[in-house]
């Protein structure tokens, strides 16, 4: 049981790192788009992502 919990915790940590890296990448891409006068279509951004962007 302990080994299973440790493996799950490791997976959660990996997923958290992936989500953070993905978020930073998307943020950089959106900044580049805006710098060039290109804005994302509001329907391209899901509600969960929009909420996350507001909390940064």
């Amino acid at each position: 049981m302990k080994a299973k919990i440790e493996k799950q915790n490791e997976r959660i940590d990996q997923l958290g790192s992936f989500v953070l890296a993905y978020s930073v990448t998307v943020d950089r891409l959106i900044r580049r788009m805006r710098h060039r006068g290109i804005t994302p279509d509001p329907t391209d951004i899901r509600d969960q992502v929009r909420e996350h962007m507001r909390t940064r």
Side-chain angles (χ1 to χ4, degrees), residues 1 3 6 9 11-13 15 20-21 23 26 33 35-37 39 42 46 48 50-51 54:
M1 181 65 120
E6 287 174 359
N9 286 340
R11 180 152 171 80
I12 289 168
D13 289 344
L15 288 171
L20 179 60
S23 176
V26 170
M33 288 172 59
H35 180 72
R36 292 185 172 97
T39 56
R46 297 184 68 150
Q48 284 179 305
R50 189 174 287 116
E51 183 63 30
R54 277 196 285 263

Side-chain angles (χ1 to χ4, degrees), residues 19 25 29 36 54:
V19 170
T25 301
L29 292 171
R36 292 185 172 97
R54 277 196 285 263

Side-chain angles (χ1 to χ4, degrees), residues 2-50:
K2 183 178 177 182
K4 184 177 181 179
I5 291 171
E6 287 174 359
K7 189 169 185 162
Q8 287 175 338
N9 286 340
E10 183 180 322
R11 180 152 171 80
I12 289 168
D13 289 344
Q14 289 172 342
L15 288 171
S17 294
F18 173 75
V19 170
L20 179 60
Y22 193 86
S23 176
V24 169
T25 301
V26 170
D27 184 61
R28 287 178 181 169
L29 292 171
I30 289 174
R31 287 175 191 259
R32 285 184 186 185
M33 288 172 59
R34 286 187 178 146
H35 180 72
R36 292 185 172 97
I38 303 167
T39 56
D41 186 294
T43 60
D44 290 339
I45 302 171
R46 297 184 68 150
D47 291 339
Q48 284 179 305
V49 174
R50 189 174 287 116

